[in-house]
Amino acid sequence: MSENFPPPGFIPTESAIPGIEVFIPTPPDSGPHQEIVDFKCPQCGATTAFSAADGGLTCTHCSYYEAPKKPIVGRAAEQFEFTVETMARAAQGWGTARKELSCQNCGATTSLPEDSLTVVCPFCGSNKVIQRQAAQDLLRPRFVLPFKITEADCARIARQWLGESWMLPSGLSDIATLGGFTGLYLPYWTFDADLQADWKAEVGHTKTERYYNNGEWKTRTVVEWRWESGRANLHIDDLLTPGSARLSQNLLHQIGNFDLSTLAPYEPAYLAGFQAKAYDIPLEAAWEVGRQAMREQARLACLSQTSTPQVRNFNMNLDYANESWRYVLLPVYVAHYTYAGKTYQALVNGQSGAIAGQRPVDWNKVWLAIAAILSPGVLLGLLGLMTAPLAGIGMVIGGVGFTLLIIGVVIAIAVYLKADRMDDL
Amino acid sequence: MICEVCQARFLPLNGGAADATAPLQRCPQCYQAELVSQALSDEIQPFIHPAELAIPFALSTADIDQAVQRFANGIPFPPSDLTGERLRSRLNRIYLPMWLVDAQVKAEWQAEAGFNYRVISRQERYSAQGWSSQPVEEQRIRWEPRLGRLQRAYQNIVVPALEDHRRLQAALGEFDLRQAQPYQIRLAQNVLLRLPDRPPQAAWSEAKPALQSAAAEECRRAARADHLRRFAWRPKFNSLNWTLLLLPVYTTYYLDDEGHPQAVWINGKSGQLSGRRRASPSRARRAALIWLIAAAICFLISLALAAASTFAPLLLALAVLALTFALLAGIGAATPLLRVWWFNRPASA
């Protein structure tokens, strides 16, 4: 018998038969057993926080730096199947003591460090919040995408963003209230699946045929419908589905180009100094949303196999296999700023810096621009009317004016829609 | 005793001990020759007294009658020696041996343990009415590494003791080893024990995998797993003990056309019967000859009637009828030969 038995990484477990010892792999750290983490600098005792710039815990007082303990795993991060057992096995809680903010205005629940003094809801900017201990019965996130963008980057990106459109009020980028970006880890579900879609449909083939009518040969176009069938196999990898309904799904979609190749195993250190949102869309509901996206992809893949685009009586049977999920936290900055007495929200992708949000539109500028766009056409049209008695020249001026008016109307509508969309977000 | 044709060795048992006074008889395995007395080889002798377990003969006389009758029936033109009565009168009882190995094992082992779990998958359907979705529950296996140490005693690991064990088992079917009983004197009355032709040293190569399978099964249970794969171990075996398990078999024979004995084997527990069923070509030829003679007579009659029809034209019809019979009988003469050939072809043996 070898002396170095069992090898490292194995621990004994209960055996059902005497005389037989059984060893199992040492289980990974699980949340509930983890000690409460105190994010204090070991050198000076000040509070440490995760630094997006340095990618680790740093102390603002003495420049102490501590790298994350677990390496980046990226897209190879462990995935879980849809079993009750796996759900039960998933460790729960945040792994460190955190408080929970419950907003009385929008209903959002946010987890934040115990020593956080934040009393403003990051979702709606309301200060009508109450604090309570974070519930431990939520599924614990297993992976996190660390912040890469700093708050200072956010302010710069936001200023640029606020100043990039002529439709926005002058000086918007300089408003003093901007800069209060809150780093927030948002819950997301990722889904993988192999899809096998068997389809059958009537596909229309257009052909020209000759026929004899009233003593002469004529041609006509007819559609001949033939049944076709096929199979499409798709692998869906890391389909992202938001785990929170508290933020505008439209804004999230705009900033949602997260690169999951830098996913890291969850460590409380990543959350030090940041807020984190627990999911409020549970796995089952998120999987329903994810499946809707997958089935649409499968349907389009099947339709792309038809010999012509004319299709009717389309039927499809879709089988899912190797479905798996992950619960991850993705970095987002949320900012609220006030302009003309109204509060606006902006989101910044904490990894890529992509920004989206509401911006106040200076409608005076917009209407002036629309007037300027329409005026050449209107003026020339009027001139054309006035010079109509002069026959030829009047007709030419009127025609040009009418054309410019049509073009102006089209451009004006586009400008209006863009401004309206910017205002509505 | 040894058969000099098939080299099978037998030990007559009577009342649990070797019966040195047993009369010599035909080899109950091949029936090609008389058994010849021979001393037990030193290689085998230490292991065969007494057997540890035996499956008792369980067929009643009626069961045996039914089995041999079923064997003898349904053969076209059977050899004259192939009758149920003859088969019954020549019945011999023999025990086929298997080794039983006991061992103390110490080992380090490792494997992948499989645990069943259920997942909820989906099947969805798109039609003119839109999407419909239904959950599908599937069982899957989660594989996890396991390793450990083992210190166990394994008893009665069964290993073939005959070189032709697999062939015999294929012919006679599986014996239910759970029905084995401790060997008793009453189980060994007037029976021949087929002696092992694989000594323990040769059978050890099969005993080790059997012990490994037994250990793997115990490790699976110890790990509370539903499955186990890629089991590997580093065993040390001690206290090896070899004994015999006896499997009950009846044998008998019949003589085919050429006078060659054809052995018939019957599983002494289940009654499954195995043996080559041969039809008799000589009897078929005799039958064919009778048909040919009948055809020739009909043909002669038809000729006579045809000649007579010149005087009585009505006789021509009878001549045609006789000719038809002659033709049918001529064709029918081939039937016995074809049936026997078909029955004796290698695929039906």
Side-chain angles (χ1 to χ4, degrees):
Chain A
M1 301 293 130
S2 59
E3 289 174 1
N4 53 352
F5 190 92
F10 282 84
I11 56 169
T13 188
E14 193 184 350
S15 168
I17 295 184
I20 298 182
E21 290 176 84
V22 182
F23 293 83
I24 59 171
T26 308
D29 290 344
S30 53
H33 304 293
Q34 196 167 351
E35 291 177 7
I36 301 298
V37 180
D38 188 12
F39 294 110
K40 297 287 183 194
C41 175
Q43 290 179 6
C44 69
T47 302
T48 55
F50 182 82
S51 163
D54 301 325
L57 275 180
T58 57
C59 174
T60 50
H61 284 76
C62 67
S63 303
Y64 169 77
Y65 173 77
E66 185 181 317
K69 295 184 179 69
K70 297 173 184 172
I72 298 291
V73 290
R75 289 179 182 273
E78 185 185 3
Q79 300 181 36
F80 304 94
E81 292 177 277
F82 288 87
T83 67
V84 176
E85 189 193 17
T86 302
M87 304 281 273
R89 278 176 60 226
Q92 296 179 357
W94 290 95
T96 182
R98 296 181 74 82
K99 286 185 300 191
E100 203 168 66
L101 282 184
S102 179
C103 179
Q104 304 301 289
N105 187 41
C106 71
T109 304
T110 312
S111 160
L112 68 164
E114 193 153 66
D115 57 354
S116 170
L117 298 174
T118 305
V119 287
V120 176
C121 174
F123 296 97
C124 67
S126 166
N127 58 1
K128 293 179 186 172
V129 293
I130 56 170
Q131 295 187 10
R132 61 179 185 227
Q133 278 306 113
Q136 296 296 303
D137 60 346
L138 294 172
L139 206 61
R140 199 190 89 173
R142 290 298 189 97
F143 301 98
V144 60
L145 203 58
F147 275 93
K148 294 276 187 207
I149 302 292
T150 63
E151 273 189 62
D153 295 332
C154 281
R156 179 178 49 76
I157 291 166
R159 264 195 296 277
Q160 192 179 349
W161 174 67
L162 289 173
E164 72 185 6
S165 175
W166 59 267
M167 295 180 191
L168 303 177
S170 305
L172 181 64
S173 58
D174 301 326
I175 55 174
T177 48
L178 190 67
F181 278 93
T182 305
L184 177 67
Y185 279 105
L186 281 183
Y188 271 84
W189 302 100
T190 75
F191 297 113
D192 283 27
D194 289 322
L195 309 185
Q196 181 179 294
D198 292 305
W199 62 271
K200 191 178 177 187
E202 277 188 286
V203 180
H205 297 263
T206 306
K207 66 174 188 179
T208 306
E209 65 178 19
R210 280 165 59 83
Y211 68 101
Y212 192 74
N213 188 23
N214 292 334
E216 59 178 326
W217 284 97
K218 297 178 180 175
T219 59
R220 65 182 172 196
T221 303
V222 293
V223 177
E224 191 176 274
W225 294 95
R226 296 181 209 149
W227 282 101
E228 289 184 11
S229 61
R231 170 176 289 179
N233 291 297
L234 284 86
H235 174 67
I236 309 287
D237 190 26
D238 288 332
L239 179 76
L240 271 179
T241 306
S244 174
R246 298 297 173 193
L247 283 174
S248 158
Q249 301 299 301
N250 189 4
L251 290 183
L252 287 176
H253 179 72
Q254 287 186 50
I255 64 160
N257 54 342
F258 292 98
D259 176 11
L260 299 184
S261 65
T262 55
L263 269 183
Y266 172 80
E267 280 185 53
Y270 285 117
L271 270 62
F274 292 101
Q275 297 185 19
K277 171 80 181 77
Y279 66 82
D280 51 53
I281 300 175
L283 175 59
E284 187 63 37
W287 177 222
E288 177 66 37
V289 174
R291 281 206 320 277
Q292 284 175 14
M294 288 184 186
R295 65 169 74 128
E296 191 53 27
Q297 285 188 39
R299 195 176 72 87
L300 293 175
C302 291
L303 287 173
S304 72
Q305 291 182 350
T306 57
S307 53
T308 76
Q310 290 188 88
V311 175
R312 69 181 187 189
N313 290 327
F314 179 79
N315 287 290
M316 187 174 97
N317 287 324
L318 183 59
D319 272 346
Y320 290 77
N322 303 322
E323 307 100 310
S324 60
W325 59 271
R326 283 194 213 105
Y327 175 26
V328 298
L329 293 177
L330 303 185
V332 169
Y333 283 103
V334 183
H336 295 90
Y337 62 95
T338 306
Y339 183 80
K342 196 175 168 188
T343 302
Y344 296 87
Q345 187 182 56
L347 300 185
V348 176
N349 183 318
Q351 184 192 38
S352 67
I355 186 168
Q358 300 158 319
R359 286 179 284 188
V361 171
D362 187 341
W363 283 104
N364 290 334
K365 279 189 187 176
V366 174
W367 289 124
L368 270 174
I370 289 174
I373 291 164
L374 293 176
S375 56
V378 172
L379 290 175
L380 279 177
L382 286 173
L383 189 62
L385 281 175
M386 285 188 287
T387 54
L390 300 176
I393 186 72
M395 291 294 285
V396 171
I397 293 172
V400 171
F402 182 74
T403 307
L404 286 177
L405 186 62
I406 296 296
I407 294 170
V409 166
V410 171
I411 295 172
I413 289 172
V415 168
Y416 176 81
L417 289 177
K418 187 177 177 189
D420 191 52
R421 198 164 52 242
M422 198 183 283
D423 205 34
D424 271 357
L425 277 172
Chain B
M1 297 176 175
I2 185 167
C3 171
E4 291 183 330
V5 175
C6 70
Q7 300 300 314
R9 289 179 296 176
F10 293 91
L11 183 70
L13 297 176
N14 199 355
D19 183 3
T21 63
L24 296 180
Q25 54 175 292
R26 272 184 182 237
C27 168
Q29 174 158 300
C30 68
Y31 291 101
Q32 303 280 339
E34 295 283 326
L35 292 175
V36 178
S37 288
Q38 191 191 46
L40 278 174
S41 72
D42 295 341
E43 205 175 25
I44 295 296
Q45 194 163 24
F47 300 103
I48 60 171
H49 295 298
E52 184 176 354
L53 297 174
I55 298 177
F57 286 89
L59 297 184
S60 66
T61 311
D63 293 335
I64 296 168
D65 286 353
Q66 205 176 0
V68 295
Q69 204 60 52
R70 210 168 43 240
F71 181 83
N73 288 347
I75 301 175
F77 307 102
S80 56
D81 196 50
L82 179 47
T83 65
E85 198 158 331
R86 295 245 172 101
L87 290 171
R88 264 192 308 277
S89 68
R90 295 166 180 164
L91 270 179
N92 281 300
R93 299 198 312 157
I94 66 170
Y95 275 126
L96 299 180
M98 289 192 83
W99 289 118
L100 294 173
V101 189
D102 302 338
Q104 295 276 349
V105 185
K106 270 186 176 181
E108 288 172 1
W109 62 273
Q110 65 178 50
E112 285 181 6
F115 299 89
N116 292 339
Y117 65 97
R118 299 197 76 75
V119 295
I120 297 178
S121 186
R122 288 272 167 181
Q123 280 183 346
E124 301 190 324
R125 181 174 167 72
Y126 179 82
S127 63
Q129 286 77 42
W131 285 97
S132 61
S133 178
Q134 62 174 26
V136 182
E137 209 168 302
E138 292 174 4
Q139 181 171 294
R140 294 183 187 165
I141 301 172
R142 184 182 65 253
W143 294 100
E144 296 177 5
R146 290 287 184 275
L147 47 85
R149 278 187 290 243
L150 172 154
Q151 188 167 359
R152 299 278 295 166
Y154 293 97
Q155 292 186 330
N156 295 342
I157 301 299
V158 182
V159 186
L162 298 173
E163 294 292 350
D164 57 352
H165 180 89
R166 308 240 182 277
R167 184 184 62 77
L168 292 171
Q169 196 166 48
L172 295 169
E174 293 279 344
F175 286 88
D176 185 355
L177 302 182
R178 290 169 303 181
Q179 294 178 337
Q181 301 175 0
Y183 179 79
Q184 297 167 15
I185 292 171
R186 65 173 177 83
L187 299 175
Q189 300 289 343
N190 299 319
V191 62
L192 285 169
L193 167 63
R194 168 94 191 265
L195 291 175
D197 54 13
R198 298 179 80 204
Q201 296 88 328
W204 179 237
S205 62
E206 276 191 68
K208 272 200 290 190
L211 281 161
Q212 180 171 337
S213 295
E217 173 56 18
E218 283 201 336
C219 290
R220 180 193 69 74
R221 283 168 39 216
R224 293 186 168 84
D226 300 302
H227 314 271
L228 200 81
R229 69 180 183 187
R230 294 179 187 158
F231 180 84
W233 68 340
R234 285 190 296 170
K236 283 184 178 171
F237 301 100
N238 289 308
S239 310
L240 289 177
N241 182 37
W242 295 79
T243 53
L244 284 179
L245 162 70
L246 307 182
L247 309 177
V249 173
Y250 293 99
T251 67
T252 182
Y253 73 98
Y254 67 91
L255 298 174
D256 64 13
D257 259 12
E258 290 81 35
H260 296 143
Q262 298 288 339
V264 178
W265 293 61
I266 306 168
N267 183 319
K269 189 72 182 174
S270 68
Q272 183 170 329
L273 194 144
S274 171
R276 196 166 178 209
R277 299 169 84 209
R278 301 275 298 171
S280 167
S282 63
R283 288 187 65 186
R285 280 195 295 273
R286 273 200 299 277
L289 187 64
I290 292 167
W291 278 95
L292 279 174
I293 290 169
I297 291 169
C298 286
F299 181 68
L300 290 174
I301 291 171
S302 72
L303 286 179
L305 288 171
S309 68
T310 53
F311 305 106
L314 274 178
L315 289 176
L316 187 60
L318 285 175
V320 170
L321 196 62
L323 185 63
T324 307
F325 277 131
L327 282 171
L328 289 175
I331 294 167
T335 309
L337 298 172
L338 286 172
R339 285 186 68 195
V340 167
W341 169 79
W342 183 254
F343 191 83
N344 287 348
R345 76 191 193 282
S348 69

